[in-house]
């Protein structure tokens, strides 16, 4: 009911800043409510950016951010409202995407302290053209994110950058201790069936990894590899000649190879 009230007040001319304050919501929540209820925005485009950035995947940055948005981005394509959003706690990665598209829009800092979390950083790109390009590249929209597809437009030489982006969005790596045995590394990734099966095939063909069984839990398909050697191979593959990645995840891989 509150969401409908917000939309009604917006249509009547209420200012977004006032609405967010009155309803106690973040910029991200505010924008997603408008998208969910098919409410077109009143404002014309006031920021510039390269909306053709993902037309041709021919660089590390394009491959990586396509993978990251596939796993962790939000695409709105309802009514007259089109937007691409990236929301992370890693400010440097969000800023890097804005720099790559030569964007002038602000990056919003979102307070997550009430959930005992670190602050988040959100970039919104309001482009129908980019939204349609990303959908063609395999991204799911709104609640259909679980139907995302592995892009078939990635050159072989850039596949590891693309998969690294997917991993940074929906993957994890860790080293676990099982006394009295030595530490064992584990790598996992969750996503749509098409993405998980595609990556499993690439790992088997290129890295010689075992053809593991894909799991399924809470609506997500799960790909997992255990053992120091297998995880070390994955790390070597993902971070080969890499310049864009989440530091907090990469830092774990050297430990997993020991």
């Amino acid at each position: 009911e509150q969401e409908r009230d917000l939309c009604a007040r917006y249509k009547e001319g209420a200012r977004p800043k006032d609405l967010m304050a009155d309803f106690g919501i973040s910029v991200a929540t505010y924008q997603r409510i408008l998208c969910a209820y098919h409410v077109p925005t009143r404002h014309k485009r006031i920021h510039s950016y390269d909306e053709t950035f993902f037309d041709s995947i021919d660089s590390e940055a394009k491959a990586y951010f396509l993978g990251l948005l596939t796993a962790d981005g939000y695409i709105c394509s309802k009514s007259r409202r089109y937007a691409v959003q990236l929301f992370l706690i890693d400010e440097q990665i969000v800023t890097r995407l804005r720099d790559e598209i030569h964007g002038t829009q602000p990056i919003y800092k979102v307070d997550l302290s009430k959930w005992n979390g670190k602050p988040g950083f959100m970039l919104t790109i309001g482009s129908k053209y980019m939204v349609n390009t990303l959908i063609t590249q395999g991204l799911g929209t709104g609640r259909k994110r679980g139907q995302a597809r592995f892009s078939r437009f990635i050159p072989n030489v850039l596949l590891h950058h693309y998969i690294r982006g997917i991993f940074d969005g929906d993957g994890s790596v860790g080293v676990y201790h099982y006394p009295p045995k030595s530490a064992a590394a584990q790598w996992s990734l969750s996503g749509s069936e098409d993405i998980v099966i595609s990556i499993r095939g690439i790992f088997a063909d290129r890295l010689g990894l075992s053809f593991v069984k894909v799991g399924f839990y809470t609506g997500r398909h799960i790909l997992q590899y255990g053992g120091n050697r297998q995880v070390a191979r994955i790390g070597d593959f993902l971070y080969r000649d890499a310049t864009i990645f989440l530091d907090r995840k990469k830092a774990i891989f050297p430990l997993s190879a020991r």
Side-chain angles (χ1 to χ4, degrees), residues 28-182:
T29 301
Y30 163 77
Q31 292 182 338
R32 288 178 183 178
I33 290 173
L34 293 185
C35 180
Y37 286 88
H38 302 195
V39 180
T41 55
R42 297 189 295 262
H43 306 291
K44 295 182 179 180
R45 174 173 163 179
I46 58 176
H47 299 291
S48 63
Y49 42 80
D50 178 12
E51 61 182 1
T52 68
F53 182 73
F54 292 107
D55 282 8
S56 177
I57 308 303
D58 54 13
S59 69
E60 175 194 359
K62 293 179 181 181
Y64 174 83
F65 282 114
L66 178 61
L68 184 61
L69 288 171
T70 298
D72 217 21
Y74 182 81
I75 301 293
C76 178
S77 62
K78 296 181 179 180
S79 185
R80 293 191 298 167
R81 183 169 178 79
Y82 296 86
V84 181
Q85 286 185 343
L86 179 63
F87 182 83
L88 296 173
I89 62 172
D90 307 271
E91 184 179 10
Q92 77 278 10
I93 294 295
V94 180
T95 301
R96 179 66 181 268
L97 175 57
R98 183 181 64 177
D99 292 345
E100 290 290 341
I101 64 172
H102 306 293
T104 61
Q105 61 269 62
I107 292 174
Y108 293 100
K109 184 177 181 179
V110 181
D111 183 10
L112 301 176
S113 59
K114 66 172 63 176
W115 295 281
N116 296 319
K118 298 179 179 179
F121 300 89
M122 185 184 70
L123 175 69
T124 299
I125 308 165
S127 169
K128 179 179 179 180
Y129 182 90
M130 184 179 286
V131 164
N132 289 333
T133 300
L134 289 172
I135 292 173
T136 300
Q137 291 281 10
L139 269 70
T141 62
R143 295 181 179 179
K144 296 181 180 180
R145 291 172 59 193
Q147 299 177 13
R149 306 182 312 278
F150 191 90
S151 178
R152 305 305 190 241
F153 303 100
I154 311 295
N156 286 334
V157 296
L158 298 177
L159 272 175
H160 60 299
H161 297 307
Y162 174 62
I163 296 174
R164 186 175 69 255
I166 295 174
F167 167 72
D168 277 353
D170 271 339
S172 65
V173 61
V175 179
Y176 305 93
H177 299 269
Y178 303 99
K181 298 182 179 179
S182 59

Side-chain angles (χ1 to χ4, degrees), residues 187-208:
W187 183 95
S188 64
L189 178 77
S190 66
S192 70
E193 183 177 22
D194 184 66
I195 287 176
V196 167
I197 288 178
S198 296
I199 292 176
R200 180 183 65 174
I202 291 170
F203 282 0
D205 293 341
R206 295 196 173 197
L207 308 183

